Amino acid sequence: MISKRLLHCTGILNAVRKPAFNIKSIINKLDEYTDSINSRELVNGEQLSSSLKEIPQLYGELKEIDYKISHIQQTRKGIEQQVKQDKSRAKEYGLELKSLKKQYQDLVDAQRRIKDVVTETCGSLPNLMHPTVPKTGSPIIDQWINKKDKYIADESREHLNIMVRKEMIDFQTASNVTGSSWYYLCNDGALLEQALVRYATDKARKCGFRVVIPPSVVRNEVIDACGFRPRDMNDEQQIYRLENTDLGLTATAEIALAGMGLNSTLDLSQGPKKLCGVNRAYRAEAGARGKDTKGLYRVHEFTKVELFVWSKPDESDKILEDLKQFQIDIVKDLNLSAQVLNMPSNDLGSPAYKKYDIEAWMPGRGSFGEITSTSNCTDFQSRRMQTRFRNEQGELEYVHTLNGTAIAVPRVILALVENHYDSTTDKIAIPPALQPYMNNVAYI
């Protein structure tokens, strides 16, 4: 006999159930959801908007079916009670009971079909948007970090040439062994990755995050529940699916961390639950956008330190700001110049209610490049993962989930090399905050 504990560990009890959507709330906010669909410029936006418009009618049909089912059940109970009192009438009511049974089954089948359509439409909806999300198609600069007077491109600072010459990275061998956009970090490059991970996790622990090393392979249904569809908003493949399995490689630790709350009721009475995940992330779309095909900016696999939070709904707006400040502090510690961006609706992705990106100046690349992102996903993921908590009234309520990058290693290494390289000495300066994790060396 298999124990309940073993069933839990193998995931049999933890299969993702159908999400519970608040249909009434969606109907009351049809205009807001339509605006969210249109503003995000989803590939299937027109079809989704059309399906959304059908929800009120389908919901009305469900209510009518519920009424009919209730009426049939009451009628059946009445007849069965009469038969119980006078068994001689069983034959008299036999055909009627048979007809009622068929009517009941037909209604239940119709109810199931309609519910499946409604659930599919609701599950495809993006999150609503915070009122402060820009709809201009361009991000709004929230603030600057270590702003410079001028930003001048400098090809001599291009990280790939510097790191290859200093034997910190090897793309050529990785290309022969695996393919394009894969790499070996070597010598000081490898040490720099380890230092960044240790620095970020130490900082997270001091802020109350519990460190977790999650699996990098999870069930596809968990990936989907987190809002990571097989293709992204630009219809480009983003998730590696493992052939002949129901598994996929995680694009971020956020997915596996969210899975820790699958089908769970969390105790948030002492405050939000905060996790810091360290894992290898996998992105199938690296280089697909026709740029950044060389170097560390877009790669298929990389180490990432990710922050993840479960919170009460009324706390999530503030926690998003706290996560943003955590990221700002890291950028300051690493002596990078960057801009904090309030991201527009067409760059949110379906789960995000609001998102901030931080883009650091990369002189060798000749532009700013994203190094962190943080999002408030409200109850988008928790409804699909069945993650709830008991509020002060003792009622079950869906938690809010938030995520944020602490360190996306390759891009941070890129930024460090291109900003702190000195061509006169051929050395890269290590920021003081990072030196304790680099054997106290100031230069490499």
Side-chain angles (χ1 to χ4, degrees), residues 82-262:
Q82 291 184 48
V83 171
K84 187 176 181 181
Q85 293 173 355
D86 184 359
K87 294 183 179 180
S88 66
R89 305 186 67 180
K91 187 174 181 181
E92 176 186 346
Y93 286 115
L95 290 175
E96 186 174 355
L97 284 172
K98 187 176 181 180
S99 174
L100 288 172
K101 183 177 181 180
K102 185 178 184 308
Q103 291 177 50
Y104 172 82
Q105 190 58 53
D106 288 345
L107 286 169
V108 169
D109 290 344
Q111 182 187 57
R112 186 182 301 111
R113 288 193 298 271
I114 294 172
K115 281 184 176 179
D116 286 345
V117 172
V118 171
T119 299
E120 174 61 27
T121 298
C122 293
S124 299
L125 292 175
N127 205 341
L128 295 176
M129 298 181 299
H130 193 279
T132 61
V133 169
K135 295 183 181 179
T136 61
S138 299
I140 292 176
I141 297 177
D142 179 75
Q143 60 182 286
W144 285 90
I145 307 170
N146 300 328
K147 187 176 183 181
K148 297 176 180 289
D149 292 331
K150 293 182 180 180
Y151 291 93
I152 302 172
D154 185 352
E155 291 185 2
S156 69
R157 290 180 171 272
E158 200 275 326
H159 74 284
L160 184 56
N161 291 333
I162 296 169
M163 293 182 71
V164 168
R165 187 174 65 253
K166 296 176 74 65
E167 298 184 346
M168 296 172 64
I169 199 165
D170 185 347
F171 271 95
Q172 184 59 55
T173 302
S175 178
N176 296 334
V177 171
T178 311
S180 61
S181 297
W182 302 82
Y183 59 98
Y184 289 89
L185 278 179
C186 310
N187 305 313
D188 285 333
L191 295 177
L192 194 52
E193 168 164 315
Q194 293 180 327
L196 286 166
V197 170
R198 290 172 58 207
Y199 156 75
T201 52
D202 278 0
K203 192 174 186 67
R205 289 178 63 203
K206 291 175 183 176
C207 292
F209 287 84
R210 181 163 59 96
V211 178
V212 177
I213 299 179
S216 293
V217 177
V218 300
R219 296 179 185 272
N220 289 328
E221 57 185 343
V222 175
I223 294 174
D224 295 342
C226 283
F228 288 82
R229 297 284 176 145
R231 293 185 176 274
D232 65 12
M233 295 172 66
N234 299 306
D235 202 30
E236 292 173 347
Q237 183 181 351
Q238 60 174 342
I239 296 292
Y240 282 112
R241 305 288 185 172
L242 301 183
E243 191 174 0
N244 300 322
T245 76
D246 65 346
L247 304 171
L249 302 182
T250 57
T252 169
E254 168 197 342
I255 297 170
L257 296 178
M260 294 181 76
L262 184 63

Side-chain angles (χ1 to χ4, degrees), residues 270-285:
Q270 303 303 310
K273 290 191 176 297
K274 304 193 290 185
L275 304 177
C276 173
V278 183
N279 79 332
R280 298 290 277 178
Y282 297 88
R283 304 289 174 92
E285 90 290 354

Side-chain angles (χ1 to χ4, degrees), residues 16-28:
V16 178
R17 301 194 297 261
K18 284 187 178 181
F21 296 111
N22 188 334
I23 309 301
K24 280 187 178 180
S25 176
I26 290 174
I27 291 174
N28 290 335

Side-chain angles (χ1 to χ4, degrees), residues 48 71 98 102 115 192 265 276 325 342 354:
L48 186 53
H71 178 70
K98 187 176 181 180
K102 185 178 184 308
K115 281 184 176 179
L192 194 52
T265 300
C276 173
Q325 188 58 52
N342 183 1
K354 183 175 182 177

Side-chain angles (χ1 to χ4, degrees), residues 158-160 163 169 171 181 183 283 285-287 289 291-302 341 357-362 365-372 408-415 418:
E158 200 275 326
H159 74 284
L160 184 56
M163 293 182 71
I169 199 165
F171 271 95
S181 297
Y183 59 98
R283 304 289 174 92
E285 90 290 354
R289 291 178 172 85
K291 64 177 182 178
D292 300 312
T293 55
K294 294 182 179 181
L296 286 171
Y297 195 78
R298 288 195 189 279
V299 290
H300 287 302
E301 179 185 16
F302 57 95
L341 304 176
D357 282 0
I358 296 181
E359 294 187 349
W361 172 244
M362 301 173 179
R365 188 168 174 263
S367 64
F368 287 88
E370 178 195 334
I371 58 170
T372 77
V409 169
R411 291 191 181 182
V412 173
I413 289 179
L414 185 164
E418 295 195 353

